[in-house]
Amino acid sequence: MNFFKKIISGRSQAKTRLRDEKNNPILLQDFPYFFLALLEYLKNKINKPSHLPIINYSAIKIFKILLKSEISVLEFGSGRSTLWFQNQNIKKLSSVENNEFWYEIVSKQIISTDKINYNFKKNIDEYKSIGQNEKYDLIIVDGLGRNECMEYALENNTNESTVIYLDDSDKDSSINPEFKNVEVRLAENILRNHSVKTDRIIYSCRNFSPTHLFVKEGIFSFPKSFNKNNELTRIII
């Protein structure tokens, strides 16, 4: 019984690993992704690192659809996602990191090209404004000061066709010490309010992610023009 509990046990805010930290369950149709996550986990254990981003599989599926067109990407918080995006169909990737040790690890694997703009910024004002006033096709908020980054990006880096994604949206900064100074739920509220005001589509997805054997949530904000994309419509509507 103890072994069984260990297998299904959740985290600080999740009853089981089959639920996110808001305690929403994974869809039955997505449960097989556990075995893909487990495979990536085992490969990682034998020093064969995953080349997929640590983002839930449902979100990755949507990214792959968006990448069928050449897009520009703004990313707050770097890592495996940065290395994955640089090998995809992108016009430009601007990414920022606040952890110097992690920045050094990732920067050694960055391809030297005009398409990639990788930055280290500790100061939150410099960090959140890395995209300046440039507009991007896809914005990913997954790092330091998510509420501040979300506010800045929505005001300065989005246009009518921009897709915004908030990772780990099930985290609660007030409870989980790991996420202090990140303010995930506040970032979610900012994104939801903006989407209501601008008549956008909010889509929440929860699934396992490569090498992580527990469910987590991510939230997208889509312009309604994406209704014309039949592949996406089947997922988000």
Side-chain angles (χ1 to χ4, degrees), residues 68-131:
K68 289 183 178 180
S69 300
E70 192 178 46
I71 62 173
S72 57
V73 183
L74 173 61
E75 180 188 50
F76 296 99
S78 68
R80 288 206 322 241
S81 56
T82 313
L83 302 176
W84 183 75
F85 271 113
Q86 74 174 348
N87 292 311
Q88 306 303 313
N89 185 30
I90 57 168
K91 287 184 288 189
K92 179 178 181 178
L93 171 64
S94 295
S95 181
V96 62
E97 177 58 49
N98 72 294
N99 184 303
E100 189 169 5
F101 175 75
W102 188 238
Y103 172 79
E104 292 297 330
I105 291 175
V106 175
S107 61
K108 291 176 182 176
Q109 302 175 69
I110 291 290
I111 300 169
S112 180
T113 169
D114 292 340
K115 288 186 176 183
I116 311 297
N117 177 27
Y118 186 43
N119 303 269
F120 169 71
K121 301 291 182 184
K122 258 191 171 180
N123 179 279
I124 185 60
D125 289 329
E126 295 178 350
Y127 183 97
K128 70 181 183 183
S129 59
I130 197 65

Side-chain angles (χ1 to χ4, degrees), residues 31-212:
F31 180 77
Y33 282 100
F34 170 79
F35 299 101
L36 293 179
L38 178 60
L39 177 61
E40 295 293 332
Y41 173 83
L42 295 174
K43 284 166 58 179
N44 200 47
K45 285 293 185 182
I46 58 172
N47 295 319
K48 290 187 176 180
S50 176
H51 296 295
L52 291 170
I54 309 177
I55 292 171
N56 80 60
Y57 281 104
S58 296
I60 293 174
K61 185 177 181 179
I62 290 173
F63 289 159
K64 286 180 176 179
I65 295 172
L66 297 175
L67 285 161
K68 289 183 178 180
S69 300
E70 192 178 46
I71 62 173
S72 57
V73 183
L74 173 61
E75 180 188 50
F76 296 99
S78 68
R80 288 206 322 241
S81 56
T82 313
L83 302 176
W84 183 75
F85 271 113
Q86 74 174 348
N87 292 311
Q88 306 303 313
N89 185 30
I90 57 168
K91 287 184 288 189
K92 179 178 181 178
L93 171 64
S94 295
S95 181
V96 62
E97 177 58 49
N98 72 294
N99 184 303
E100 189 169 5
F101 175 75
W102 188 238
Y103 172 79
E104 292 297 330
I105 291 175
V106 175
S107 61
K108 291 176 182 176
Q109 302 175 69
I110 291 290
I111 300 169
S112 180
T113 169
D114 292 340
K115 288 186 176 183
I116 311 297
N117 177 27
Y118 186 43
N119 303 269
F120 169 71
K121 301 291 182 184
K122 258 191 171 180
N123 179 279
I124 185 60
D125 289 329
E126 295 178 350
Y127 183 97
K128 70 181 183 183
S129 59
I130 197 65
Q132 299 181 352
N133 292 312
E134 187 173 350
K135 310 305 179 186
Y136 289 82
D137 300 311
L138 173 62
I139 297 173
I140 300 169
V141 180
D142 178 23
L144 177 70
R146 298 186 194 197
N147 58 313
E148 296 179 66
C149 292
M150 184 67 74
E151 283 184 327
Y152 186 93
L154 291 175
E155 184 176 346
N156 299 282
N157 304 126
T158 62
N159 55 32
E160 292 180 354
S161 62
T162 303
V163 175
I164 306 111
Y165 175 71
L166 173 64
D167 196 34
D168 290 313
S169 51
D170 54 325
K171 297 287 185 183
D172 189 339
S173 312
S174 66
I175 297 175
N176 192 331
E178 177 191 352
F179 273 71
K180 65 180 181 180
N181 302 323
V182 176
E183 294 295 352
V184 184
R185 296 288 177 87
L186 182 53
E188 178 186 349
N189 289 338
I190 293 167
L191 180 59
R192 287 185 179 277
N193 289 336
H194 173 269
S195 297
V196 170
K197 289 177 182 177
T198 54
D199 196 27
R200 285 171 149 258
I201 300 167
I202 280 284
Y203 176 72
S204 300
C205 57
R206 55 195 62 89
N207 207 332
F208 297 98
S209 54
T211 71
H212 284 194

